[in-house]
Amino acid sequence: MSRFIATSAIRGSHAIVEQAEDMLKDALEKLGADVPIAFVDKEGVGTAYYLPVIYGYSGHKVEKLGDLTWPLEHAKSLLAPVPSENLWLPYLGETADAGVATLFAEEIIEGIRFAKGEQPEVNNGYKFNGPISDVQTRSWGIQMVDGSMPGFAAIIGAAKSNEVAVKIVRELQSKGQLVFLSSMSNGRSIVDQLLEEGVELGYPTFTIPFGTDTISVVYAAGYASRAAFSFGNVKPGDFREMLLYNKFRCFAFALCLGPMDDLKWATGAGAITYGFPAICDTVVPNILPTGITKYEHVVSMPFDDIPGRDDLERAERLVQRCIEIRGIKIKIPKVDIPVAYGPAFEGEVVRRENLHSEFGGKGGTCVEWLTMKDLDEVEDGKITLIGPGIDSFEEGANIPLGIVVEVAGRKMQKDFEPVLERQIHHFVNGAEGIQHMAQRDITWIRFSKGAVAKGFRLNHLGVILHTNLHNDFGAIVDKVQVTLYTELPKVEELREGARAVYHERDARIAGMTDEAVDIFYSCTLCQSFAPNHVCVINPERTGLCGGYTWLDCRAAFEINPTGPNQPVPKGRCIDPVKGEWEGVNNFTYEHSNRAVERFTIYSLMDSPMTTCGCCECVMIIIPEANGVMVVSREDYSMTPCGMTFTTLMGSIGGGLQNPGMMGHSKLYITSKKFISVEGGIKRVVWLSKNIKEEFAEELQKACEREGVPDLMDKIADGTIATTTEELLPFLEEKGHPALTMEPLI
Ligand code: SF4
Ligand code: ZN
C-alpha cells in the first residue's frame, strides 16, 4: 500500500467526517431532528432504500435528520490516525476503513443538503440529476443482468480538453457503460465540458451528472448498493454479500481525470471497498496487486504518456485500458455491416450467377488462422486490409485471402484457439449474401453481387468476427483484431505458418486412445447447413472438417457448456469391434432429428457417421479393387469412382448416412482407428496426391504400424489413375494388399 495514498486518503477521511459532523450539529440545531430526509432525483423520484450506502453497509434506515447521528458515530469509529508519509502500510485495511467512513460522511452531507433543499444541485442555472431513482435503476435492470450494460464508469474531475471529454464519454457509451459525472479539476467539471460541446446528458443517453463536487460521487456507490439489492437479492446490512456482488457482478470503476486531492483519494478508497478500481490520468502510485478489487486497485495512466497519434486516440486507449482493468466483457448489440445479419442467412448458398468475388475453392487460396496474443499486442476492433480490396479485381475473380484473427484475454488459453477459429465458418455465414465453406487452409468464401452492391467489403469480415467473438466468447476474449491479406505471396507465406500450427494442434491429440476415455464429444455446429448431421468426435478421429479434435471439443464445452459440443457418454458397449455404443446411438438419434438410429465409430460399411459439407476428404469404396479411395477437397481432378470431390459432396454433403461413403478429415487417415472394421489404411487404393505430400511423414508411420511399410508406393493417385481401368493394373503390378483382403461386399 502506497504510504502516499494511505496518508492522503486517511487525511481526507478525517476532514470530510469533521465536515459532516459540523454540518449535522448545525442542522440539528437549526432544523431539528425530525426533519425528513429522502434522496430524490431532479424529477423528484426517489428510492425506497433510504440513504443506500449507509443502508447497505449497516441496515440502518435514515428517514430524518436525527437518524444521521449513528452513522456519523460509526464513521468516526472507523478513522485511524493519519499515518506519517514515511510509514509503510503493508495492507489496505486502515485505508479501506477510511474509505467507508468517507462514503458515510459524504452520504450524511448529501442527506443534510436534501433536508435543506440544496440537492439536486443547481449550478449556473443548470440542474444536475442528483441520485438515480429506483424506477430508473430497475429500468436498466435487464441490461445490467444480460450484460449489454455491464456496469458504470464514475468520472471524477475534468478531461484535458473538451474534445477529450467528449471522446471519453462516447467511447464509454459505445461500450454500453453507464457514465456518472462528478467533481472538478482545476475549477472545471467534465459536466461543463460536455455541456459546452452540446452533449445530451441524462437518463436516455446513459450519462448522469451527479454534481460539481467530489461528495456527489457517493451517488455512484449508492447506485451500486441498490443494484445489489435489486438484482443480486442482497439484504441491506449484509455488506459482505453486497460488496461481493459489486466486485464480481457490477463492472464499475472510477476514472479520475486531472489532479487528485485528499478527498478524491478518500472517496477512491471507498470505491475500492466496493471492488471498483480507480484509473487516474495523472502520475500517481500504482497499487497493482489484486485483493479487494478483482484486478488492479489503482492504476496510473498519465494522459500524455499514453501512446497514440493524438489526444483522441489517447482517450480511446485510456477507456480501453479501463475496460481491461475492470475485466469488463463487452457485448456489441449489432453486427455493423451493410447487409442483414442473423442465423436465417447461415445456410444460404451463393451460386455462380450471383457471384461477385470468390476466395479459395477451385484454383484459389484462402487461409484462416486465429491466434492468441498478449493483451498489449492487440488493439481491440482494429481491422486492417493489406493488399488490394475487391474493387481492384474483375467481377467473378478468385482473390487470394488470408484472414488472421488475433485475440487476447485474461482467461484466453492456447487450447481455445481451434475452438474460436472454427467459429469463423458459423459467424461469416450469418451475413446475407456471403457464403463460407470449410476451414483452415482450404477455406472457401463467396461474396454475392447483391452483398457487394450494398457495400459489403473485405473489412466487414473483420467486423463480423470482432463483434461475434466478443458477444459469444466474451468470457474468454477481451480484445480482437483482424488482418486481411490479399497478396498471393503473403497469403502463401501465411499458409505455411498456419499449416505448421494446424499440425501442432493435431499432434496434441496423438497418443490418446478411444479406450482411455468414457466420453466422446458431439459437434452440431454444422446443423445450419445439414440439419441432421452430428459429428461424434473421439480421441482417434477428429471432426470431419478437421477443425476439431476431442481435446478441442472438451475445451469448447468448458467455454460454453450449452454450446454445440456436448459430452457423449459411451454407455453400454454394443459392439467393441464396430465401435457401437448405446450412449452414442441415443445421442445421435436425439440430435439428428431422429434421422440416424444407429451409428458405428469404426465402420464404413455399417452405419457410418453422417457427412456435412465441410469434410476435408471423402472416401468411397471401389468394389472392383476391393478397396476404398480417398479424395481431398483440394483435389479437383476426376477420380476412379467416376466422380470429382464436388460431385461426391453433392450426393452426401447434406447430413446423410451412406454405407460405403463417408466424409472425414485428412488426419483421420493416419489414425489407428481409420475404418478399422474394414482393415484400415491397407484398404486405401487411391489417395489424392496433395494428402500424400502434406501428410507424408504421418502416413509413412501409419503404414509401418500396420505392417506394410511400402504401402504408400502401392496406393495410386490422380497422376497414376483417374479411372478404374487405369487403377486395377497398377494395383496388381504393385501387389496392393486390398486385392487379397476379405471381400468388402
Ligand atoms: Fe463440427 Fe463436424 Fe461441422 Fe466440424 S464438420 S464443425 S466437427 S459438425
Ligand atoms: Zn459442416
Side-chain angles (χ1 to χ4, degrees):
M1 180 67 213
S2 153
R3 55 184 177 249
F4 164 75
I5 294 178
T7 306
S8 188
I10 295 174
R11 196 166 54 212
S13 68
H14 277 270
I16 194 78
V17 171
E18 255 167 56
Q19 186 184 335
E21 188 170 24
D22 291 347
M23 281 177 74
L24 182 58
K25 192 160 159 267
D26 178 66
L28 285 171
E29 276 169 20
K30 291 198 178 125
L31 304 174
D34 291 329
V35 174
I37 292 180
F39 272 5
V40 295
D41 68 6
K42 69 172 182 182
E43 306 299 341
V45 186
T47 167
Y49 297 108
Y50 312 96
L51 303 199
V53 170
I54 293 168
Y55 191 48
Y57 262 102
S58 65
H60 178 83
K61 297 176 184 172
V62 175
E63 289 168 285
K64 45 189 176 34
L65 260 180
D67 297 334
L68 290 173
T69 310
W70 179 83
L72 180 72
E73 289 310 313
H74 183 66
K76 281 160 75 178
S77 75
L78 290 171
L79 294 179
V82 180
S84 131
E85 297 212 10
N86 299 319
L87 186 83
W88 173 257
L89 283 183
Y91 57 92
L92 213 51
E94 292 184 343
T95 311
D97 282 350
V100 177
T102 302
L103 296 180
F104 269 52
E106 288 174 337
E107 210 169 53
I108 291 166
I109 292 173
E110 295 295 19
I112 298 167
R113 287 171 169 174
F114 265 106
K116 292 183 176 166
E118 293 169 6
Q119 274 289 311
E121 180 180 345
V122 180
N123 198 310
N124 276 331
Y126 180 76
K127 196 162 186 193
F128 284 72
N129 188 84
I132 294 168
S133 69
D134 283 349
V135 174
Q136 192 54 50
T137 306
R138 267 193 298 275
S139 85
W140 283 327
I142 293 181
Q143 286 144 290
M144 294 274 296
V145 173
D146 79 1
S148 48
M149 181 192 281
F152 63 80
I155 299 186
I156 300 170
K160 187 184 170 192
S161 65
N162 286 11
E163 203 188 14
V164 169
V166 174
K167 179 71 177 170
I168 288 174
V169 168
R170 294 286 184 238
E171 279 296 305
L172 288 165
Q173 286 173 315
S174 77
K175 297 189 161 41
Q177 288 289 102
L178 270 168
V179 185
F180 299 158
L181 308 162
S182 307
S183 190
M184 299 218 247
S185 292
N186 304 321
R188 293 269 289 162
S189 143
I190 188 165
V191 174
D192 301 329
Q193 295 182 311
L194 296 172
L195 290 174
E196 282 164 18
E197 296 307 309
V199 175
E200 284 289 326
L201 303 181
Y203 293 145
T205 59
F206 307 144
T207 46
I208 321 301
F210 283 152
T212 52
D213 59 15
T214 305
I215 296 171
S216 65
V217 177
V218 77
Y219 294 142
Y223 176 80
S225 295
R226 287 183 289 141
F229 303 148
S230 308
F231 316 127
N233 250 329
V234 174
K235 301 271 163 307
D238 190 352
F239 70 94
R240 202 173 168 270
E241 281 305 309
M242 184 186 72
L243 298 181
L244 286 176
Y245 174 84
N246 279 293
K247 175 174 175 179
F248 292 108
R249 301 292 301 282
C250 180
F251 294 96
F253 56 88
L255 177 56
C256 307
L257 303 176
M260 296 294 286
D261 56 29
D262 286 356
L263 185 57
K264 285 180 182 173
W265 279 125
T267 308
I272 287 172
T273 67
Y274 272 81
F276 304 153
I279 296 94
C280 305
D281 75 342
T282 48
V283 181
V284 299
N286 282 311
I287 308 179
L288 300 179
T290 65
I292 302 178
T293 66
K294 211 164 149 219
Y295 300 121
E296 294 86 342
H297 289 143
V298 177
V299 175
S300 169
M301 256 195 116
F303 193 79
D304 291 322
D305 293 353
I306 300 172
R309 266 166 298 141
D310 54 31
D311 280 355
L312 294 187
E313 206 175 311
R314 277 186 260 275
E316 197 178 319
R317 297 225 169 139
L318 176 67
V319 171
Q320 180 63 45
R321 186 81 177 97
C322 295
I323 300 282
E324 272 168 54
I325 290 165
R326 190 58 186 92
I328 294 170
K329 301 302 175 183
I330 300 164
K331 280 214 177 191
I332 304 163
K334 108 179 209 307
V335 183
D336 191 14
I337 53 175
V339 297
Y341 189 86
F345 303 101
E346 275 185 33
E348 198 193 18
V349 174
V350 177
R351 301 195 191 286
R352 183 145 288 281
E353 318 77 272
N354 293 326
L355 178 68
H356 185 282
S357 313
E358 183 166 32
F359 314 87
K362 190 169 184 173
T365 311
C366 182
V367 190
E368 59 194 24
W369 181 13
L370 182 139
T371 179
M372 173 185 163
K373 294 268 163 185
D374 286 337
L375 274 165
D376 55 10
E377 290 176 297
V378 179
E379 191 181 316
D380 188 43
K382 183 172 167 195
I383 295 159
T384 319
L385 171 64
I386 297 179
I390 58 171
D391 299 309
S392 313
F393 295 85
E394 305 228 314
E395 196 171 286
N398 194 320
I399 305 168
L401 179 63
I403 305 174
V404 177
V405 186
E406 289 162 309
V407 304
R410 289 180 191 253
K411 296 221 179 107
M412 180 66 194
Q413 297 174 22
K414 207 85 196 139
D415 287 356
F416 298 159
E417 286 180 349
V419 180
L420 299 184
E421 184 179 285
R422 190 61 189 115
Q423 310 299 320
I424 298 176
H425 175 55
H426 163 62
F427 290 157
V428 170
N429 268 310
E432 178 192 11
I434 309 298
Q435 180 188 337
H436 181 291
M437 297 278 280
Q439 60 285 318
R440 291 189 170 185
D441 55 348
I442 52 172
T443 302
W444 177 26
I445 300 174
R446 284 184 152 187
F447 288 6
S448 73
K449 288 179 187 162
V452 173
K454 284 187 185 157
F456 195 91
R457 294 294 180 272
L458 277 168
N459 65 307
H460 293 118
L461 293 177
V463 175
I464 293 173
L465 298 176
H466 171 251
T467 312
N468 285 298
L469 283 166
H470 271 298
N471 288 355
D472 288 12
F473 293 92
I476 51 171
V477 168
D478 294 327
K479 292 165 117 186
V480 180
Q481 80 185 13
V482 181
T483 314
L484 303 138
Y485 299 89
T486 56
E487 285 154 341
L488 187 61
K490 182 66 201 170
V491 176
E492 282 173 341
E493 183 192 320
L494 253 171
R495 184 173 58 187
E496 284 320 298
R499 275 191 180 154
V501 173
Y502 303 148
H503 281 264
E504 246 169 59
R505 288 179 189 167
D506 293 344
R508 288 191 305 124
I509 190 91
M512 276 196 70
T513 63
D514 293 352
E515 291 74 22
V517 300
D518 293 327
I519 286 175
F520 295 155
Y521 282 94
S522 66
C523 188
T524 48
L525 205 61
C526 284
Q527 289 197 341
S528 45
F529 302 89
N532 299 343
H533 172 67
V534 180
C535 271
V536 172
I537 298 167
N538 37 301
E540 294 181 81
R541 173 163 61 176
T542 61
L544 55 81
C545 59
Y548 267 2
T549 64
W550 184 88
L551 286 172
D552 299 335
C553 292
R554 192 176 63 177
F557 176 64
E558 194 185 314
I559 300 170
N560 180 7
T562 56
N565 300 101
Q566 293 295 317
V568 181
K570 287 176 174 175
R572 188 176 66 87
C573 183
I574 299 171
D575 185 334
V577 178
K578 286 189 178 162
E580 187 177 358
W581 284 273
E582 214 168 60
V584 178
N585 281 346
N586 291 345
F587 186 96
T588 331
Y589 183 62
E590 283 304 319
H591 292 85
S592 64
N593 299 311
R594 313 193 163 213
V596 181
E597 287 181 17
R598 276 188 63 228
F599 183 104
T600 68
I601 305 271
Y602 304 133
S603 170
L604 169 67
M605 302 305 290
D606 183 10
S607 308
M609 194 162 87
T610 55
T611 299
C612 70
C614 300
C615 57
E616 287 185 306
C617 307
V618 183
M619 80 168 97
I620 177 168
I621 55 164
I622 305 281
E624 300 89 327
N626 197 34
V628 304
M629 56 153 279
V630 173
V631 57
S632 96
R633 183 180 289 273
E634 296 132 287
D635 186 347
Y636 301 100
S637 56
M638 184 43 79
T639 74
C641 73
M643 288 182 269
T644 60
F645 177 87
T646 315
T647 323
L648 281 166
M649 279 314 299
S651 59
I652 63 163
L656 298 179
Q657 193 174 44
N658 281 282
M661 219 173 156
M662 180 170 71
H664 58 89
S665 67
K666 299 183 208 179
L667 190 69
Y668 178 53
I669 311 168
T670 67
S671 164
K672 211 160 76 244
K673 295 287 165 51
F674 175 73
I675 51 168
S676 51
V677 175
E678 284 79 26
I681 197 167
K682 283 185 288 196
R683 277 289 177 190
V684 179
V685 295
W686 190 98
L687 176 61
S688 285
K689 195 161 185 344
N690 63 295
I691 299 188
K692 283 185 171 179
E693 287 164 358
E694 192 186 336
F695 284 80
E697 214 176 292
E698 293 92 336
L699 286 166
Q700 186 53 39
K701 273 196 210 134
C703 296
E704 285 165 17
R705 185 189 65 217
E706 299 302 313
V708 198
D710 58 349
L711 182 62
M712 286 322 288
D713 304 332
K714 300 179 179 188
I715 298 176
D717 58 45
T719 61
I720 296 164
T722 50
T723 61
T724 45
E725 289 72 27
E726 289 166 355
L727 177 64
L728 293 176
F730 171 83
L731 298 176
E732 270 167 32
E733 186 204 317
K734 296 283 181 182
H736 192 290
L739 300 176
T740 55
M741 285 165 80
E742 233 177 89
L744 251 186
I745 20 182

